[in-house]
Amino acid sequence: MPGVSGTARVDVTEDTLESTTAAPEPRAHTAALDVVVHYLRMICSWPEGRGPLARVLGEYFLPLTFAASGVPQLVYFGLGEHDNNVELFGFLADALGSSLCCFKMIHLQRHAVTIMAVREILDDFTPMERSLASQALPLNEHCERRSATLLRRYIRTYSVLSIIGSFFMILAVIRNDPWYHVKAPRYMMETRPLFILMVVISTIELYVFPVAIGVFDGLVITLSLHIVCKCDVLVLMLRQAVRRDTDEIGLQDAAEEWERLRLCAVYHQHIIRLHSASESIFCTIALCQMFYILFGLGTPLFRMLDKTQEVVPQDIAFSAVYVMWTFIQLFTFCYSGDVVAKASTRLSSATYASFHPSLSGKDRQLGRIQHMIVLRAQRPLFLTAGRLMNLTLKLFQDIMRRSYSLYSTVINMR
């Protein structure tokens, strides 16, 4: 992948840095990415070590189960069996959600190479942190524990949603009410083989859902936390790189300062590459996610308002689960982008604080590296949705507000 696969390893010379005999030896912190690989292997979505059957299941069959679950709604709409605009709005949201799940799973498989490149980038950070291992190690370990824990919790949360969805599907079969869990043409529901096929597809989809969707959403915040951690480590490196008594720097000290600033510049370049790799994984899906959530947040309310009979507790429970799913996804993307933006702002401030114009006259190379770091830090790092909008908590607020406005408009069109 351009800008990622060309990452070069950095050798840190021992004579240019402080002695670190007492400091703990830094290591690569990729436990969360190992969790990602582990779960992707479970659903045959990791390209390494797969046989022909596993490759067919992972690349074609399992992703298409998500797409197939959206076909009945589209046929239902094409035949004109929907009653009003509220119902049309609801099953369009279901079709969009199913398609988005399919895209996420396919996207994870296609970006397996990018995930491996991210692991290499994280490995390349390690030798550059040797001069302040005692300070960087706690930050890295905290990031590793937090990201791995959050990733597992995302998968468990989506597993709970999957179990609840399976319960409602079984309840629909027991009640002999196939329309309880999906909208489809009448002939498909009344034809037993077609109905059984739909139930089987839904079962497979619910099995894959926690891993495919939980891993993707968990990976968003995992890579965001790694970017934040590396920005914080670079802030420490910048504080150590340039001393306050710049007028008293000798020739030997200037050489040491040059080496440290060079490492800061290379470290910053690796952060930019890590950010670019993260953007390539999430950018397109994030844009689709924002459009889907505009519809998905109001869908349960549309359905309850459209019911002619009394609303039962099962309807409320299903609506709560549906809203919980869309809300978690929206908050995950916007919160991840927000923490990256704030970390980038802190890095920019620290870069300006460490800049000493007086060094430019003493050493042109040192001043040139300083100027390069400052110029790069002027451009904040943002996770974006389709490179059209920045993922921040402000966007989260705007989408919530627009979803409510859209909901009000559709209700008025009933």
Side-chain angles (χ1 to χ4, degrees):
M1 186 186 67
V4 177
S5 59
T7 303
R9 294 188 176 275
V10 178
D11 296 325
V12 181
T13 54
E14 298 291 340
D15 56 344
T16 59
L17 302 177
E18 294 178 352
S19 175
T20 58
T21 55
E25 183 68 20
R27 61 180 179 84
H29 295 81
T30 58
L33 295 181
D34 294 337
V35 174
V36 171
V37 174
H38 169 72
Y39 280 104
L40 289 181
R41 289 185 187 278
M42 288 179 57
I43 59 172
C44 305
S45 293
W46 190 251
E48 293 182 347
R50 291 189 304 181
L53 179 61
R55 185 173 61 82
V56 172
L57 286 174
E59 293 184 6
Y60 302 103
F61 181 74
L62 294 180
L64 288 178
T65 57
F66 289 106
S69 63
V71 171
Q73 286 95 330
L74 296 177
V75 178
Y76 182 78
F77 166 69
L79 295 177
E81 296 185 8
H82 59 283
D83 297 328
N84 50 43
N85 291 328
V86 174
E87 188 178 10
L88 171 63
F89 194 88
F91 72 72
L92 281 178
D94 289 342
L96 282 173
S98 300
S99 301
L100 186 61
C101 294
C102 175
F103 293 154
K104 283 186 176 182
M105 189 171 178
I106 295 174
H107 217 62
L108 279 174
Q109 296 182 56
R110 290 182 177 177
H111 281 276
V113 176
T114 309
I115 295 175
M116 289 186 287
V118 167
R119 297 176 71 174
E120 293 180 1
I121 294 173
L122 292 176
D123 287 340
D124 290 339
F125 281 112
T126 303
M128 292 183 283
E129 297 172 355
R130 193 169 298 157
S131 62
L132 40 76
S134 60
Q135 296 173 283
L137 186 60
L139 292 175
N140 285 318
E141 288 182 344
H142 175 70
C143 174
E144 181 181 35
R145 289 193 304 268
R146 187 182 178 190
S147 56
T149 301
L150 285 174
L151 184 58
R152 291 190 179 96
R153 287 179 179 176
Y154 268 87
I155 296 174
R156 290 168 186 167
T157 300
Y158 284 115
S159 297
V160 172
L161 297 180
S162 180
I163 292 171
I164 294 175
S166 301
F167 170 78
F168 279 107
M169 185 179 65
I170 295 172
L171 185 63
V173 176
I174 294 175
R175 291 175 45 170
N176 197 24
D177 182 11
W179 285 274
Y180 191 74
H181 74 285
V182 68
K183 289 291 184 182
R186 185 174 297 276
Y187 76 89
M188 294 182 67
M189 291 299 192
E190 294 177 350
T191 305
R192 198 66 180 174
L194 291 177
F195 176 64
I196 295 300
L197 177 63
M198 291 177 60
V199 171
V200 171
I201 290 175
S202 298
T203 303
I204 297 173
E205 178 183 358
L206 290 170
Y207 165 74
V208 179
F209 174 80
V211 177
I213 312 306
V215 165
F216 190 93
D217 293 355
L219 189 61
V220 174
I221 197 166
T222 293
L223 294 185
S224 299
L225 291 175
H226 277 93
I227 294 173
V228 171
C229 176
K230 298 310 177 184
C231 286
D232 291 340
V233 172
L234 182 55
V235 169
L236 296 176
M237 293 177 66
L238 287 169
R239 291 174 181 172
Q240 185 189 61
V242 180
R243 301 177 181 177
R244 294 299 177 185
D245 53 341
T246 56
D247 294 333
E248 300 177 1
I249 293 180
L251 293 177
Q252 184 176 359
D253 292 332
E256 183 177 338
E257 296 298 328
W258 182 89
E259 178 62 26
R260 289 184 177 179
L261 273 180
R262 185 188 70 84
L263 285 178
C264 289
V266 175
Y267 198 96
H268 194 194
Q269 178 64 23
H270 278 66
I271 292 177
I272 294 173
R273 288 177 174 174
L274 180 59
H275 170 263
S276 298
S278 303
E279 269 281 276
S280 66
I281 297 175
F282 310 126
C283 180
T284 305
I285 297 296
L287 182 61
C288 300
Q289 187 82 52
M290 298 304 112
F291 282 119
Y292 160 68
I293 289 172
L294 282 173
F295 294 90
L297 279 174
T299 298
L301 295 176
F302 300 154
R303 286 174 175 162
M304 285 194 291
L305 290 174
D306 191 52
K307 291 181 73 70
T308 55
Q309 66 271 25
E310 183 182 357
V311 178
V312 296
Q314 290 88 339
D315 296 328
I316 299 175
F318 178 80
S319 300
V321 171
Y322 201 104
V323 171
M324 179 181 176
W325 173 40
T326 52
F327 183 87
I328 288 176
Q329 292 183 97
L330 175 62
F331 183 79
T332 298
F333 278 79
C334 293
Y335 175 77
S336 301
D338 198 73
V339 296
V340 170
K342 289 180 178 177
S344 177
T345 302
R346 292 197 301 270
L347 176 60
S348 179
S349 300
T351 304
Y352 279 106
S354 64
F355 178 70
H356 291 277
S358 61
L359 291 179
S360 301
K362 297 191 174 209
D363 191 322
R364 288 185 177 275
Q365 289 184 334
L366 194 61
R368 190 177 298 117
I369 293 176
Q370 280 190 307
H371 280 89
M372 181 178 63
I373 296 175
V374 170
L375 289 174
R376 284 178 175 176
Q378 284 180 342
R379 183 179 180 183
L381 301 176
F382 287 103
L383 295 180
T384 65
R387 306 191 189 279
L388 297 176
M389 59 189 79
N390 296 328
L391 296 174
T392 61
L393 292 178
K394 184 179 183 302
L395 178 62
F396 172 81
Q397 181 182 4
D398 291 341
I399 290 179
M400 295 287 287
R401 186 186 303 113
R402 294 179 186 276
S403 179
Y404 175 76
S405 300
L406 187 60
Y407 157 75
S408 302
T409 302
V410 175
I411 292 300
N412 294 330
M413 293 171 57
R414 292 182 63 188

